[in-house]
Amino acid sequence: MTEPRYDVIAIGNAVVDVIASCEDELIDELDLNRGGMTLIDEARAKELYDAMPPAREVSGGSAANTLAGLSTLGLQCAFIGQVADDQLGEVFRHDMRATGIDFDTPAREGEPATGRVMIFVTPDGERTMNTFLGAGQFLPAEALDEELIASGGILYLEGYLWDPEEPRKAMRRAIEVARSAGRKIAFTASESFVIDRHGDDFRAMIDDGVIDILFVNEHELATLTGEEDFDKGVAMVAPKVPVLVATRSERGAIAVANGTRAEVAAEPIDKVVDTTGAGDQFAAGFLSGHARGEDLQACLKRGAIAAAEVISHYGPRPEVDMKALMAQKLS
């Protein structure tokens, strides 16, 4: 097996995050799913945009956010995702490349537009996300660069993108290519509603040994297993995947690999400003250690540090020198 050119290659939604602070009353007024992620159409996206207070617009998407974190930590990354041939598509492409991530998937002509996520952040830092996938849900298998996929040490897949049919087929093909090349498959479940819709697929992949590293939060784990007790849920899944990582918000996270379990507490911060991207950056921190061969405890610590940094400010991507922060916190 040849040495990988990239540490991590990710396939995910190519979207622009529109983030605004709001009061709790607006969540109720707009009938939003507080603290969750809801798929919306373009008309609803316009309605919510018009109702938002002043907002920031930054390139986002779960897997893309994780790559941004990995890139700032010094890993070589590439992204596969679909944007439209429009202004937001160019913004997304520029932001990815400016972060040091290779992104060469051709833009899609015509409608729909590049995807966007309307994120409402309440005073407690909780984020309520409303996602218009746009062009991202039309990523075809033909758009995959199979040589690129085979050149990545880890193929990281975003559960959100499993929902639309076309990119789901593309991701299945990418898994075949990566496994044929002897690469690892990392999968993030993304959200409980995705598991509600595609849990049979995910459970089959777990049972068949397709997934090497599985990222879930405690709610997703409960949805996946049907078991509300966290430790019982872990016990059901951990024997079936080489590495299971389960996050628990302020209660930290655990990881299990080949029967060995490690735990980490959440990193203390002065104030939770915005939880957008917390899981994405936890995955970035964890994978930055895993790709370097570090033990479970060290990988979890890296994840906790990265998650704490991102929830201390608005936006889903790091805003400090993450290499320096890791060196300080891990010394």
Side-chain angles (χ1 to χ4, degrees):
M1 185 171 64
T2 60
E3 284 295 310
R5 175 185 173 193
Y6 294 95
D7 296 299
V8 181
I9 293 174
I11 302 178
N13 279 307
V15 298
V16 175
D17 289 340
V18 184
I19 308 169
S21 299
C22 73
E23 297 302 320
D24 292 287
E25 290 78 11
L26 187 60
I27 302 295
D28 296 329
E29 180 184 327
L30 295 173
D31 194 25
L32 303 180
N33 176 26
R34 180 183 170 88
M37 198 289 283
T38 303
L39 290 175
I40 59 175
D41 60 20
E42 194 161 8
R44 177 65 166 162
K46 184 179 187 307
E47 176 189 347
L48 294 183
Y49 184 81
D50 290 343
M52 291 183 97
R56 296 177 57 194
E57 297 184 356
V58 294
S59 293
S62 177
N65 291 337
T66 296
L67 286 194
L70 285 164
S71 183
T72 62
L73 286 166
L75 278 73
Q76 296 298 309
C77 303
F79 180 72
I80 298 170
Q82 189 68 68
V83 296
D85 185 16
D86 57 16
Q87 183 176 356
L88 282 183
E90 283 302 311
V91 168
F92 184 91
R93 189 179 302 279
H94 173 269
D95 285 355
M96 293 297 283
R97 290 176 172 173
T99 311
I101 300 163
D102 286 350
F103 174 42
D104 297 310
T105 308
R108 187 175 187 273
E109 299 289 338
E111 298 294 332
T114 296
R116 71 219 53 177
V117 184
M118 328 302 290
I119 302 173
F120 294 77
V121 184
T122 44
D124 61 356
E126 186 67 83
R127 85 283 185 270
T128 297
M129 300 188 296
N130 302 270
T131 302
F132 166 58
L133 292 172
Q137 63 188 317
F138 297 101
L139 174 71
E142 295 75 25
L144 299 178
D145 182 338
E146 296 191 357
E147 289 187 8
L148 174 70
I149 293 168
S151 71
I154 298 171
L155 175 65
Y156 183 74
L157 303 174
E158 175 185 328
Y160 284 134
L161 201 58
W162 202 263
D163 202 53
E165 181 179 357
E166 200 163 6
R168 184 165 65 250
K169 290 180 179 178
M171 294 169 88
R172 287 191 184 280
R173 176 56 187 160
I175 290 170
E176 293 175 357
V177 172
R179 293 199 71 80
S180 295
R183 309 309 189 187
K184 292 181 179 179
I185 308 297
F187 189 87
T188 176
S190 294
E191 188 81 28
S192 289
F193 91 86
V194 182
I195 302 172
D196 285 334
R197 294 165 67 120
H198 302 287
D200 288 345
D201 277 355
F202 300 163
R203 285 182 281 269
M205 290 194 295
I206 291 169
D207 290 342
D208 293 343
V210 172
I211 297 173
D212 298 292
I213 307 167
L214 176 64
F215 291 94
V216 291
N217 64 33
E218 58 185 331
H219 306 296
E220 294 156 5
L221 180 65
T223 305
L224 185 67
T225 62
E227 176 56 68
E228 290 299 325
D229 183 276
F230 178 74
D231 288 322
K232 289 181 180 178
V234 169
M236 292 172 66
V237 177
K240 300 179 180 180
V241 293
V243 181
L244 170 66
V245 183
T247 58
R248 309 188 75 185
S249 299
E250 70 277 3
R251 288 179 287 176
I254 68 101
V256 183
N258 301 316
T260 298
R261 175 167 169 155
E263 300 188 25
V264 67
E267 286 286 300
I269 63 170
D270 293 334
K271 181 184 178 183
V272 175
V273 176
D274 174 15
T275 57
T276 308
D280 303 336
Q281 295 312 320
F282 191 99
F286 186 93
L287 289 173
S288 72
H290 184 82
R292 295 182 171 105
E294 297 183 7
D295 63 28
L296 279 185
Q297 193 65 47
C299 293
L300 284 173
K301 181 69 172 177
R302 284 177 170 271
I305 293 168
E309 189 281 331
V310 81
I311 66 175
S312 67
H313 59 76
Y314 286 109
R317 299 185 178 185
E319 291 188 351
V320 302
D321 183 334
M322 290 302 294
K323 287 183 182 178
L325 181 63
M326 288 292 178
Q328 173 194 341
K329 294 282 189 178
L330 295 172
S331 61

